[in-house]
Amino acid sequence: MDVVAVLLAAGESERMGAPKALVDWRGQPLLTHQLQQIQKSAVCECVVVLGREIERLRPLVDPTLRPGWKARAAINPAPDAGKASSILIGLGALWSRPEGIVVASVDQPLDARLLDALIAAAEQEWERCTACQPRTIILPVYHGRRGHPALFSSMLLGEMMGISETGEGLKSVVRRDPSRVLEVPWESSEILLNLNQPLDLLRADPRGPQLEG
């Protein structure tokens, strides 16, 4: 199935004290980890939205430096406008209309196995419901708690392009109609992680926070 990812890496990282995309996550920059997991998965392409520290982050994304790399960068010229603005930049940078769109944040560690599980669930749901109304939002769930990332059918692209920061961004799309959400059980609590500050890194990785620059 044709699925692309929009990876958000344009935030300010005030609470972390350093660019989140560059914090050490298990021996490498977090952005590199994210892209490696996407590379290992069935995702066809990844648009990485950058806004700050562009010169430091672009080499981690640049496909010309990595043959076969699935990622390319899109720039948010006004990252202060919020997460919704970066989502819109990423969606607007898509070269074609895929069947599914994964939206992920750089500070929410990804797992290639989970990405493939979400895609497999979507493929089964969307093929099974050729004559009915398929569930168009696929979310991982750990012990009843919804995590990330989310996979959206491109049927919702119009709604997604209509989000705003004041309107709660993509949360408004997810909450609009609970009947169109398919939950996929997952065995790891890492789908709940949000690495916003050094303490979050310490809790997630006993080696402790390692910040670059």
Side-chain angles (χ1 to χ4, degrees), residues 61-108:
V61 180
D62 190 349
T64 64
L65 302 178
R66 296 171 174 81
W69 203 233
K70 296 178 182 179
R72 59 187 174 87
I75 307 302
N76 183 351
D80 288 336
K83 185 175 181 178
S85 71
S86 290
I87 293 171
L88 294 176
I89 292 289
L91 295 176
L94 299 180
W95 283 335
S96 62
R97 189 185 183 102
E99 294 173 81
I101 304 164
V102 172
V103 180
S105 295
V106 74
D107 59 357
Q108 298 169 344

Side-chain angles (χ1 to χ4, degrees), residues 16-86:
M16 184 63 76
K20 293 179 186 178
L22 292 174
V23 299
D24 183 283
W25 180 251
R26 298 172 181 171
Q28 61 187 344
L30 182 53
L31 177 56
T32 299
H33 166 84
Q34 301 289 67
L35 293 177
Q36 285 182 348
Q37 294 305 305
I38 290 169
Q39 188 75 16
K40 293 176 184 177
S41 76
V43 170
C44 299
E45 182 194 19
C46 178
V47 176
V48 184
V49 183
L50 304 177
R52 295 181 176 83
E53 302 288 345
I54 293 173
E55 296 309 313
R56 298 175 70 187
L57 297 179
R58 195 193 293 271
L60 302 181
V61 180
D62 190 349
T64 64
L65 302 178
R66 296 171 174 81
W69 203 233
K70 296 178 182 179
R72 59 187 174 87
I75 307 302
N76 183 351
D80 288 336
K83 185 175 181 178
S85 71
S86 290

Side-chain angles (χ1 to χ4, degrees), residues 174-212:
V174 173
R175 293 170 178 169
R176 188 161 293 138
D177 183 357
S179 70
R180 62 186 185 181
V181 176
L182 173 62
E183 296 183 342
V184 176
W186 194 246
E187 76 278 4
S188 172
S189 62
E190 285 197 357
I191 67 168
L192 307 177
L193 285 178
N194 285 287
L195 304 178
N196 291 316
Q197 53 189 329
L199 182 58
D200 296 328
L201 282 170
L202 181 61
R203 290 169 175 163
D205 188 343
R207 295 176 306 165
Q210 302 172 52
L211 309 181
E212 180 180 323

